[in-house]
Amino acid sequence: MSAGTALHFEQHTPRPRCGCKGPGAAGWLSSQGYRVPAEPNSAELDPGGVLVARLATSEFLLEPISGSADRVEATRAELTQRRQPVTVYPVTRQDLVVTINGEELNPLLRQICSVDFAPLLAAAVTGGGPVVLTSMVGVGVVAWPRLIEGAVGESSPAVTLWCEPSYAHYFWHTLLEVGRDLGSVTTGSKQ
Amino acid sequence: MSRLPPIAGELIDRTRAVEFSFEGRRCTGFAGDSISSALAANGIRVLGRSFKYHRPRGLLSAANHDVNALVQVRAGGRSVPNVRADVVAVQPGWQIEAVNTRGGVSADRLAFINHLSPLLPVGFYYKAFHSRRLFPHWERMFRHLSGLGRVDLSAKREITPKRYDFCDVLVIGGGPSGLAAAIAAAGQGASVLLVDDNAALGGSGLYARSGDAERVHLTQALIERVRADSRIRVLTDTYAAGYYADHWVALVAPECLVKVRARRLVVAQGAWEQPAVFRNNDLPGVMLASAAQRLLYSRAVLTTRRLAVLTANTQGYSAALDALSHGADLAAVLDLRDAPGPRSRAAADELARRSVPLHYGVTPIEATSRSGGTLGGFQFRSARTVAAGTGDVRATKQLEIDGLWMSVGFAPANALLHQAGARMKYQQNLQQFVPAELPAGIYACGKINGVYGLRERIADGTDAGACAAGSLTAGSARPRAPAPMPDESPTHEYPIFPHPRAKEFVDFDEDLQIRDLINACQEGFDSSELLKRFSTVGMGPSQGKHSHMNALRILARVRREPLDELGMTTARPMFYPVPLSHLAGRGFTPERRTPLDAEHAALGAVFMPAGNWRRPEYYAAAGKSRAEAIAAEVEAVRTRVGLIDVGTLGKIEVHGPDAAEFLDRIYTARYANLKVGMTRYALMLDEAGVIIDDGVIGRLAPDSFYFTTTTGNSATLFREFGRLAAWWGLSVGLVNLTGHYAAINLAGPASREVLRAHTRLDLSESAFPYLALREAEVAGAPCRIMRVGFVGELGYEIHLPSEHAASLWRALLATGASAGIRPFGVEAQRMLRLEKGHLIVGQDTDGLTNALEIDAPWALKMDKPFFVGQRSLRILESQPRRQRLVGFTLPTGAPRAPKECHLVLDGADIAGRVTSVGYSPTLQRCIGLALVKPAVAAGQALRIRIDGGALIDAAIAKLPFYDAAGARQRESA
């Protein structure tokens, strides 16, 4: 993010991701070596850089936030080929994924969502933490408030959003439109 | 000239002059002036004309409370109606005009209506519209005459943001009690949001001075503490317009609507000063004392040369002292009471010492006007006068004045409390409703609580703020301290003085006089709710802020009942006028697109909305009209091969040991016996047996199914499925793949050959028969393929993760090029399915169409133990059908065709309606479906009324119209 930028929107859509749900999902993910969050609406970022977000009692989202994507690719293959126990159901995830940061992050969130992210961002950490299932600009999203590392090592609050892909065009362009009202906006895309 | 020398605390910047015009007259104000104060400073007293009688009107409240000062503003190529002149800051170059005039505010051609008031009784609108014959006449006349500002129809849409905000304690009202509440709440660690509708904090603490500098210092000290406290955020020029559940409050800020969620709410909105009701109390020059004080101290404007104060409380004496201290010629203080109250005595003595005549036991008779329609004098009687040489104290007296300041009472600004569900009680020693019971988390303080003394208000606010913040911490909650008992009522019990010649206005918005309300009561509208609706009292833009209490007092007197028993009506949100641009805000209308959207655009798709999806209606073809392009798409599917994006279908998986049982309960067919690798049509009903959705269910594994829903219903049904699964306690897991999966229907005689080029799957009839489901790679993508025949040809519906959709689409088009493949849109698909007689739920059915009326008994397994709607169908089976879905055709070459929703007639009676219709390129004639009465369906023909009222006959036809045996989709021919 360049100096003077009010908001930066980074797309991570191409990253591999997968989901699973079912009564056996938590146990199966643990058996696969993932660090499974104990509570719904929370996430764990394991040492290998894979985010495991618990979206409900028995529903999970996996995505490699940093490091290698191999483990998630392998898990996705297991699910696609139905090699998991019958109590674990695969969930195909083709989401638009966007991380937003910048000085106007909270003002942006206050225009697009009725959830108060300020305390969540104030308490955000670089790994894990709460995930919020909410609606933004009329679209259901999974939101993960967190700290991200900048280019020179400083960390700043950010929120990563997962949005159903059929809303991707509307969601992305609406976020940019609102963001531009708040100041200069930059965009990017990376794995 | 009305502008005074600089006054400490004034809000204007005298170094920045503001040039503007009013009704063509050039005016000068200062930055920080409201429109009203700038006009007053320029000696302009008539700001507008009243709504009904077109009487001249001037300043009344100088606050956001009344509609006398609504103006039209032209600036920057825009013309904005109904700008609130009392609170909107004037800007350079503005061209301002009065609203609701014909020919200008000083020469309004409709002023003659004032003389017609005897012909315009209360309830006139209702009475006028009672006559059906005269309705159009009255409607035209009212539409011509009524209205305030003029809407600029050429105005461009403004995109205003909407914003959410959050706080621990929201304090509404920045007067002394609100300031104190905010400080106390913040002192306990709460995050506080303090909002006030004025340009600056302080409220009456800054403008009701009565020459007491200490009052101002106390208030300013509070403001400084608020400014210095980082836990308190302040929003000025912002008003709370509505309360909603769970402490959501709508704040109207200058630029946008802010929806605040507060954990606790402190309402410190004060009280609206109320007018006395006497003949001609609306003349420009008659104003509320608080309005005069606001103008005096915030904008250094004294609106009058010689004035009197009509009062019944200490606030009136305070205003009189303020007027004197700024050099006004105070003709008299007229007290409605027989003697000053204990809090007024010192001020009364001071006024007497300064030789101001004081009259007690005053009965107003009328205000009189001078040329131009502004105040010129005031007639009254009094019981006692404190002044030398007054003669007969009981004689009618006449004051020559150009200003009359009224301070006879207050009404609490408790609308938000009402909206929140507070219970009020009428307190006799205050002549005011005060909170008797507040909802949890809501606190009131200050004047709204019946506390009027400055120091008492600060103490009350401190207690409210501390209680509100304390209740956020477990174990710290405590009850509110009781409000102090007043030693002098701030409000007169009945400041209403009828006159034989009327024109004593109770409601300035609607020009309602005392007799209007009495007559409404006598006509039977004698409850507060009925009186409001019949007379329209309180229904104007100011929402009864100055009329509600006086109307209640009149009603109480007519009914001879105490006010407490009448109750109050609830002023619903929005309680203040709100710009439509604020309410509209930035529109969030989600639109869904399939992963093939860019492919469609590149192929020249003409898009249409389908639910909240964007879909290709058809693909434009060079040299072809819309109809020709659609016909060509139909022809391609019937003779060669076509492909359509059906990714908008709901796509859901259900897993688990009870998955089949779950589907058997949801849908009318049987799925427990569905073989793995096969599909079956699915029809869904509601509890009444009404058709609500359909689709196809395929079995992936013994305990896993994949199924589709209609485009518009997927989100709603997925939620309903989850609810039903939980309710029934079934062991199932539901996965919504609607947006994550794409779907392409490849259909036509050549479809197999096109598909074969991209998969190793055995597509032969024996290996992949009609209605089979297979999972296989197609063009390298993992796909689910269903052999279904919605369009009535050999076809494959291919479902796959959306990331692979575009490459498969392109691959199929490339391979199919030699076979004459063509993409087809929604319109071609509709015709193809219509030729097959397949219904579309929601188009060929309505909200009452039950499953017995569509002639599809094969889809209903009534012998199942249960499915939703089954019980109702059993009852309906024994009853005559209400309607039936039938097919119809028109002769080849018929010159006129019906449209969807055209009526089917049986004699002169309506017998049904056309649900689908179109020209079939395959059959070379117009075909359609209609829902009609069974008796009509049993006949040979339908009589349809088309555009223009013409009647045409259509032949009832057996369904389907095309390939009755289904040989083409089964490929059994």
Side-chain angles (χ1 to χ4, degrees):
Chain A
M1 191 173 86
S2 58
T5 301
L7 288 163
H8 179 69
F9 298 78
E10 188 86 29
Q11 277 213 34
H12 308 291
T13 304
R15 271 197 308 232
R17 69 187 59 82
C18 64
C20 62
K21 67 190 293 187
W28 181 70
L29 286 174
S30 291
S31 74
Q32 300 293 304
Y34 291 107
R35 187 188 288 171
V36 177
E39 299 293 328
N41 297 336
S42 64
E44 291 279 358
L45 191 62
D46 72 13
V50 173
L51 177 80
V52 181
R54 191 165 196 156
L55 308 181
T57 306
S58 61
E59 182 170 0
F60 298 89
L61 164 68
L62 279 69
E63 183 161 325
I65 300 300
S66 57
S68 169
D70 293 349
R71 289 171 65 210
V72 173
E73 294 273 27
T75 303
R76 187 161 75 164
E78 292 264 310
L79 290 164
T80 304
Q81 293 157 28
R82 298 208 190 105
R83 291 201 291 262
Q84 79 285 8
V86 293
T87 54
V88 182
Y89 318 132
V91 179
T92 302
R93 306 282 321 206
Q94 303 271 298
D95 306 61
L96 167 81
V97 183
V98 188
T99 296
I100 313 169
N101 69 316
E103 286 184 2
E104 295 296 323
L105 175 59
N106 200 46
L108 173 80
L109 293 168
R110 290 194 166 186
Q111 284 202 29
I112 63 176
C113 184
S114 63
V115 171
D116 185 8
F117 277 90
L120 299 174
L121 291 169
V125 293
T126 50
V131 291
V132 181
L133 276 68
T134 183
S135 169
M136 290 185 179
V137 297
V139 175
V141 296
V142 175
W144 177 36
R146 60 183 178 126
L147 289 182
I148 58 171
E149 298 293 333
V152 289
E154 83 287 11
S155 59
S156 65
V159 63
T160 299
L161 307 173
W162 284 261
C163 158
E164 209 240 43
S166 63
Y167 291 107
H169 181 272
Y170 160 80
F171 190 68
W172 174 252
H173 288 279
T174 305
L175 289 186
L176 292 183
E177 181 187 316
V178 178
R180 285 178 183 130
D181 280 358
L182 296 167
S184 73
V185 162
T186 57
T187 61
S189 176
K190 67 181 177 187
Q191 285 271 351
Chain B
M1 181 61 190
S2 305
R3 188 79 74 181
L4 299 173
I7 293 177
E10 66 184 21
L11 300 178
I12 52 174
D13 178 356
R14 293 177 185 252
T15 66
R16 293 164 54 207
V18 175
E19 305 284 338
F20 66 102
S21 70
F22 179 71
E23 296 264 309
R25 174 181 158 184
R26 289 176 60 84
C27 302
T28 304
F30 291 122
D33 257 325
S34 67
I35 297 173
S36 296
S37 68
L39 291 174
N42 282 269
I44 294 171
R45 312 194 75 191
V46 182
L47 305 183
R49 291 277 172 169
S50 69
F51 181 70
K52 189 159 69 175
Y53 297 142
H54 285 254
R55 292 168 63 88
R57 289 281 167 81
L59 274 163
L60 178 64
S61 72
N64 191 25
H65 303 162
D66 70 283
V67 296
N68 277 12
L70 293 182
V71 293
Q72 186 98 16
V73 173
R74 297 179 200 281
R78 300 171 64 217
S79 182
V80 183
N82 303 334
V83 174
R84 293 159 300 130
D86 283 338
V87 292
V88 173
V90 70
Q91 302 296 328
W94 277 10
Q95 297 171 279
I96 301 169
E97 292 174 0
V99 299
N100 199 34
T101 71
R102 299 288 190 278
V105 71
S106 58
D108 184 8
R109 292 192 297 274
L110 296 179
F112 72 92
I113 298 176
N114 186 34
H115 303 295
L116 303 180
S117 60
L119 304 176
L120 301 170
V122 66
F124 176 71
Y125 296 145
Y126 299 109
K127 290 165 182 167
F129 285 119
H130 188 67
S131 164
R132 194 171 171 177
R133 186 173 60 84
L134 294 175
F135 191 113
H137 164 74
W138 290 121
E139 184 189 5
R140 275 195 301 276
M141 193 184 87
F142 289 143
R143 283 190 188 282
H144 177 66
L145 291 179
S146 62
L148 295 172
R150 290 178 300 281
V151 174
D152 178 4
L153 297 176
S154 66
K156 292 180 181 170
R157 183 183 173 190
E158 291 178 27
I159 303 291
T160 55
K162 285 181 187 168
R163 193 158 58 80
Y164 294 95
D165 210 328
F166 308 89
C167 60
D168 291 330
V169 179
L170 173 62
V171 179
I172 302 173
S177 62
L179 292 166
I183 292 165
Q188 298 203 17
S191 67
V192 178
L193 182 59
L194 173 63
V195 299
D196 193 272
D197 58 353
N198 294 292
L201 294 174
S204 62
L206 293 182
Y207 67 74
R209 297 186 182 184
S210 60
D212 181 0
E214 180 60 18
R215 294 170 62 88
V216 178
H217 293 152
L218 272 175
T219 307
Q220 284 176 333
L222 292 174
I223 294 171
E224 284 165 17
R225 287 179 65 188
V226 163
R227 297 285 184 203
D229 196 323
S230 62
R231 288 159 299 192
I232 304 175
R233 289 182 295 138
V234 176
L235 293 177
T236 51
D237 285 320
T238 299
Y239 50 97
Y243 173 91
Y244 301 88
D246 300 327
H247 306 338
W248 279 106
V249 178
L251 299 182
V252 180
E255 301 303 326
C256 67
L257 189 70
V258 183
K259 300 181 226 179
V260 178
R261 172 72 175 271
R263 297 173 69 195
R264 298 291 183 270
L265 181 63
V266 177
V267 181
Q269 287 178 289
W272 301 300
E273 191 158 43
Q274 299 291 290
V277 181
F278 54 87
R279 177 171 164 77
N280 293 332
N281 60 341
D282 63 333
L283 290 179
V286 181
M287 67 170 67
L288 301 173
S290 56
Q293 290 173 299
R294 284 175 195 269
L295 289 173
L296 191 58
Y297 288 111
S298 60
R299 269 87 181 199
V301 172
L302 186 61
T303 58
T304 179
R305 291 184 177 84
R306 179 174 165 77
L307 74 122
V309 176
L310 178 65
T311 188
N313 53 31
T314 186
Q315 286 80 2
Y317 286 88
S318 164
L321 288 172
D322 284 337
L324 272 186
S325 65
H326 289 88
D329 180 1
L330 185 56
V333 171
L334 313 171
D335 198 329
L336 300 177
R337 302 171 296 182
D338 293 331
R343 289 189 177 231
S344 310
R345 274 184 207 128
D349 292 345
E350 171 66 10
L351 289 165
R353 192 185 63 75
R354 294 167 74 168
S355 304
V356 175
L358 304 174
H359 300 268
Y360 294 100
V362 166
T363 302
I365 297 174
E366 66 173 328
T368 55
S369 62
R370 61 173 64 171
S371 64
T374 60
L375 179 70
F378 185 65
Q379 276 189 6
F380 65 99
R381 292 192 188 91
S382 64
R384 184 167 69 90
T385 296
V386 181
T390 49
D392 180 3
V393 297
R394 295 188 180 278
T396 298
K397 300 176 182 66
Q398 169 84 30
L399 293 174
E400 301 301 319
I401 52 176
D402 64 355
L404 180 68
W405 295 1
M406 300 179 286
S407 184
V408 298
F410 296 85
N414 55 18
L416 288 182
L417 297 179
H418 274 291
Q419 291 166 10
R423 192 172 63 80
M424 299 288 171
K425 65 179 179 188
Y426 195 75
Q427 197 162 314
Q428 287 292 337
N429 57 359
L430 283 167
Q431 297 295 327
Q432 177 182 320
F433 283 100
V434 294
E437 190 177 324
L438 290 169
I442 296 182
Y443 301 81
C445 61
K447 290 178 180 174
I448 207 167
N449 227 10
V451 180
Y452 280 78
L454 179 65
R455 288 171 181 80
E456 290 94 330
R457 274 189 282 159
I458 293 171
D460 196 40
T462 301
D463 186 64
C467 283
S471 69
L472 293 169
T473 308
S476 300
R478 65 169 176 81
R480 287 291 318 276
M485 291 301 289
D487 52 5
E488 178 181 340
S489 172
T491 299
H492 192 272
E493 65 178 335
Y494 200 78
I496 297 162
F497 305 93
H499 190 280
R501 289 190 289 142
K503 297 289 167 58
E504 337 86 329
F505 290 98
V506 179
D507 190 309
F508 286 45
D509 294 15
E510 307 279 334
D511 278 345
L512 287 170
Q513 307 162 71
I514 296 172
R515 69 182 182 192
D516 292 326
L517 299 173
I518 292 173
N519 289 343
C521 295
Q522 288 171 348
E523 290 191 47
F525 301 97
D526 59 353
S527 71
S528 56
E529 290 84 3
L530 290 176
L531 182 67
K532 175 179 176 178
R533 279 154 187 80
F534 186 67
S535 69
T536 70
V537 64
M539 290 172 67
S542 58
Q543 290 283 285
K545 294 180 182 68
H546 295 119
S547 60
H548 188 56
M549 280 310 303
N550 281 336
L552 275 181
R553 289 188 174 98
I554 292 169
L555 177 63
R557 191 153 286 196
V558 170
R559 290 182 52 138
R560 301 175 192 275
E561 287 180 4
L563 268 169
D564 217 4
E565 292 185 13
L566 294 177
M568 296 178 74
T569 55
T570 299
R572 289 174 180 77
M574 301 291 187
F575 189 55
Y576 287 91
V578 181
L580 287 174
S581 59
H582 278 47
L583 291 177
R586 186 193 301 279
F588 291 134
T589 309
E591 180 194 65
R592 304 180 79 173
R593 296 184 177 191
T594 75
L596 296 170
D597 191 82
E599 305 298 318
H600 303 319
L603 290 166
V606 176
F607 289 99
M608 61 176 281
N612 56 355
W613 291 87
R614 178 169 115 131
R615 297 193 70 185
E617 181 185 5
Y618 66 99
Y619 296 84
K624 281 191 165 62
S625 67
R626 173 182 177 276
E628 289 167 342
I630 294 167
E633 292 172 12
V634 170
E635 189 263 345
V637 175
R638 288 280 179 249
T639 60
R640 304 186 303 277
V641 60
L643 79 171
I644 181 172
D645 179 0
V646 291
T648 59
L649 290 170
K651 297 177 279 292
I652 298 171
E653 287 177 346
V654 58
H655 305 278
D658 293 332
E661 170 68 15
F662 176 75
L663 295 170
D664 272 352
R665 294 190 191 191
I666 296 276
Y667 289 101
T668 60
R670 185 175 286 112
Y671 300 95
N673 65 358
L674 183 65
K675 291 177 182 171
V676 172
M678 293 302 290
T679 65
R680 188 167 288 164
Y681 178 69
L683 185 67
M684 186 178 180
L685 313 181
D686 68 8
E687 297 285 358
V690 169
I691 298 164
I692 56 173
D693 203 68
D694 71 348
V696 171
I697 294 176
R699 195 165 201 164
L700 299 169
D703 57 359
S704 289
F705 293 82
Y706 178 70
F707 60 103
T708 61
T709 71
T710 56
T711 292
N713 280 343
S714 61
T716 307
L717 290 181
F718 187 76
R719 282 195 296 273
E720 177 66 0
F721 293 153
R723 187 187 72 83
L724 290 173
W727 185 29
W728 290 332
L730 296 177
S731 178
V732 295
L734 290 155
V735 179
N736 190 352
L737 295 173
T738 300
H740 299 277
Y741 256 52
I744 299 167
N745 188 9
L746 183 70
S751 57
R752 178 179 287 136
E753 297 315 311
V754 174
L755 183 58
R756 183 171 282 148
H758 298 287
T759 182
R760 293 181 177 177
L761 184 67
D762 184 352
L763 299 178
S764 66
E765 180 66 24
S766 57
F768 194 177
Y770 182 58
L771 296 182
L773 162 69
R774 297 290 181 267
E775 292 184 274
E777 280 198 357
V778 180
C783 296
R784 291 168 181 169
I785 313 162
M786 294 187 276
R787 246 200 81 183
V788 291
F790 187 55
V791 298
E793 299 292 341
L794 173 67
Y796 301 90
E797 200 167 282
I798 307 164
H799 294 236
L800 70 167
S802 59
E803 62 187 322
H804 303 294
S807 59
L808 176 60
W809 175 268
R810 287 187 213 129
L812 294 172
L813 279 177
T815 309
S818 60
I821 196 169
R822 190 164 195 144
F824 62 104
V826 172
E827 281 305 314
Q829 186 191 39
R830 282 181 177 170
M831 175 45 63
L832 290 160
R833 68 87 202 177
L834 180 57
E835 291 174 345
K836 284 296 294 177
H838 292 155
L839 64 84
I840 295 177
V841 174
Q843 176 170 329
D844 299 304
T845 67
D846 59 28
L848 294 173
T849 308
N850 69 57
L852 301 176
E853 296 170 337
I854 61 165
D855 200 20
W858 50 269
L860 307 174
K861 299 305 175 195
M862 297 299 286
D863 58 337
K864 282 200 299 184
F866 171 81
F867 63 82
V868 176
Q870 185 191 47
R871 181 174 174 274
S872 295
L873 290 186
R874 286 200 172 121
I875 296 168
L876 291 166
E877 276 180 322
S878 61
Q879 297 178 356
R881 303 283 178 270
R882 193 179 57 90
Q883 55 185 358
R884 277 188 54 201
L885 189 68
V886 297
F888 66 86
T889 64
L890 265 60
T892 301
R896 293 176 298 179
K899 294 176 182 170
E900 285 157 10
C901 284
H902 276 169
L903 296 179
V904 177
L905 300 182
D906 181 11
D909 296 331
I910 296 172
R913 63 180 175 86
V914 174
T915 60
S916 292
V917 68
Y919 181 79
S920 164
T922 312
L923 305 172
Q924 297 286 299
R925 64 176 59 195
C926 185
I927 61 173
L929 298 173
L931 270 174
V932 296
K933 289 180 178 175
V936 173
Q940 301 294 313
L942 301 179
R943 174 148 286 194
I944 304 169
R945 188 166 69 191
I946 63 171
D947 287 343
L951 297 174
I952 61 170
D953 289 326
I956 292 178
K958 196 168 186 305
L959 295 174
F961 300 102
Y962 172 78
D963 184 25
R968 293 182 68 86
Q969 66 216 51
R970 289 186 169 83
E971 220 189 17
S972 57

